[in-house]
Structure formats: structure tokens, C-alpha cells
Amino acid sequence: MFNHLKLLEYDRYLSLLSKLGPEPSIGRPSGETANYPAVFFVDSANGVSTNDGKSPLRAVATLQQAIDLTTTNRGDVIFVSDEHAETVTVVITVNKAGISILGAGNGRSRPTFTNNYAGDCITVTAADVKIANLLFLASTTSACTARINIAAAD
């Protein structure tokens, strides 16, 4: 669960966003459009698939659900709880350019992913994706092809 100390850690991550991703686009001077980065939260212990993921209390349950909520090239950030544990039975596809996926915690107290099928755990098909601080446990199948497969141009 995201608690007060974890939220302080996320504040620290947010301060680093200017170093991680593109600047938000402000749009026309009249202010008709604004395209600021969105932040989404993932927590397998407390998240629900029907949540919007926009706060720790409304976290989604899986990384793929959060990826699906992001917008391409907006600079969106996905924070994954250090208590998150996901057994992957179908590839997680990162198909939105310009997003960042950041895990909370340190050492073994980080979000964990275990590949439980013959294939990649995560496949990145979009450019300018950043992934940091996730822990990949030993696969439960010997046919696991990759923890992270980079299939994008850059």
C-alpha cells in the first residue's frame, strides 16, 4: 500500500521528472489545449482493475492496465508500489512512446515481476520509454525468452 513515507519518495521522483522526460506542451497562447504529463499508480495488493490509477488510493492492479491509461508522448509516469507482485502470464506490452515506469523501494523491497509463460515478460515497442527500479524474479518456466525485450527503434 502507498503510505505517507512512500508518497514522500514519489515526491522525490516527481522532482526528477524534468530530467526524465519531455517538457509538457502548453498549446496555444489562448490556453485552449494543454497536454501535461499524467501520473498513474500500480499496486497489486490494493489496486482494482476498474480504478483510474490517478492516485495511490485509486491504483490499478497491473502494469498493463496503467500502460493502457497513458497517452503517447505526453511524458506520463507510472509509479509501481514496492509491494507490487505480478505474475506475468501474457506479455506486458509498452506501446506508448514517451512514458516512464518507476518502481518504488530499494533492494528486494521493489515491485516484482515473475514471468510464468514461454515468452517475454515486458516488450517495449515504443520509442523513448524509461523503465527503472523493477525487480524480475527467476522465471517459473525455462522457456522465458527475455525479462525486457526492446523492440523499439530507440
Side-chain angles (χ1 to χ4, degrees):
M1 172 112 190
F2 291 96
N3 62 31
H4 177 70
L5 293 176
K6 290 178 192 170
L7 291 176
L8 291 175
E9 183 175 342
Y10 290 123
D11 284 340
R12 185 177 47 145
Y13 281 132
L14 288 173
S15 70
L16 297 174
L17 287 181
S18 63
K19 299 174 187 171
L20 287 176
E23 296 292 321
S25 59
I26 303 301
R28 292 175 246 190
S30 64
E32 291 176 18
T33 61
N35 194 20
Y36 295 103
V39 177
F40 298 97
F41 294 87
V42 180
D43 184 347
S44 61
N46 301 292
V48 177
S49 63
T50 56
N51 283 351
D52 63 10
K54 292 186 178 183
S55 80
L57 297 176
R58 298 189 322 255
V60 293
T62 70
L63 180 56
Q64 188 66 63
Q65 290 164 351
I67 293 165
D68 292 344
L69 292 170
T70 63
T71 299
T72 298
N73 288 322
R74 186 171 62 182
D76 290 353
V77 177
I78 298 171
F79 287 121
V80 188
S81 168
D82 61 342
E83 295 176 357
H84 182 77
E86 189 166 338
T87 299
V88 179
T89 57
V90 63
V91 66
I92 297 169
T93 303
V94 184
N95 57 357
K96 306 281 183 81
I99 68 171
S100 297
I101 301 169
L102 306 174
N106 295 300
R108 293 198 60 82
S109 295
R110 291 181 287 162
T112 60
F113 293 83
T114 305
N115 191 357
N116 194 23
Y117 82 107
D120 301 332
C121 188
I122 296 176
T123 295
V124 179
T125 61
D128 195 28
V129 170
K130 295 156 188 76
I131 300 174
N133 207 38
L134 304 180
L135 179 62
F136 295 90
L137 301 179
S139 177
T140 57
T141 177
S142 61
C144 171
T145 53
R147 303 283 192 317
I148 300 177
N149 176 18
I150 307 298
D154 62 356

